[in-house]
Amino acid sequence: MATIFSRIIAGEIPCHKIAENDEFFAFLDINPISEGHTLVVPKQETDYLFDLDDALLGRMMAFSKQVARALETAITCHRIGLAVSGLEVPHAHIHLVPISKESDMYFGKEKMKPSPDELAAIAARIRQAFS
């Protein structure tokens, strides 16, 4: 059975897409811990990030770097934090989180609840910076 991320990539579930290429897909987290919180996933459905072959993992990090640069341009922050927890969905993914202080990366805090319109506006700003 396809993961929720594979269904998002296939267009079966809507998302606020940031960027995509032949191998990877980036989209906003709908329960972000900070404005612009983005997920980067390989299109290849693999449960655990460190089960990806080295070359694919390297390309995923390079793609994530491009997304991070767009985030830095579009969202006011000090840096982009990166997290790999991998327990929520059995599909390898990286969290890119705009942060101004370390506590901004705390996943145990109450999640933001942006409206679909707010997410769409944030995604548009990031996509524009990505171009």
Side-chain angles (χ1 to χ4, degrees):
M1 186 160 129
T3 68
I4 191 169
F5 292 165
S6 291
R7 295 181 65 210
I8 287 170
I9 293 164
E12 297 171 15
I13 296 173
C15 73
H16 296 280
K17 182 169 79 169
I18 301 301
E20 137 180 58
N21 66 18
D22 291 344
E23 296 181 299
F24 309 107
F25 196 92
F27 58 99
L28 289 181
D29 191 311
I30 60 170
N31 295 302
I33 61 171
S34 102
E35 180 183 21
H37 179 172
T38 299
L39 300 174
V40 176
V41 301
K43 290 183 175 180
Q44 171 187 312
E45 193 173 290
T46 300
D47 180 10
Y48 184 45
L49 185 75
F50 297 118
D51 285 340
L52 296 173
D53 70 60
D54 291 349
L56 184 64
L57 180 59
R59 291 190 303 275
M60 185 174 179
M61 289 304 295
F63 181 79
S64 295
K65 181 178 177 179
Q66 292 174 349
V67 175
R69 294 295 186 218
L71 283 167
E72 288 173 330
T73 300
I75 306 295
T76 302
C77 63
H78 183 66
R79 338 200 115 149
I80 303 301
L82 182 146
V84 176
S85 55
L87 297 175
E88 312 87 21
V89 177
H91 190 133
H93 58 287
I94 293 172
H95 295 263
L96 298 177
V97 182
I99 61 172
S100 293
K101 56 190 181 307
E102 286 196 28
S103 60
D104 291 342
M105 285 291 295
Y106 178 55
F107 282 82
K109 69 182 176 183
E110 186 173 343
K111 306 294 190 274
M112 300 174 71
K113 296 181 184 350
S115 71
D117 288 342
E118 290 170 320
L119 288 170
I122 293 165
R125 286 191 347 246
I126 300 166
R127 280 193 306 273
Q128 182 177 17
F130 195 83
S131 301

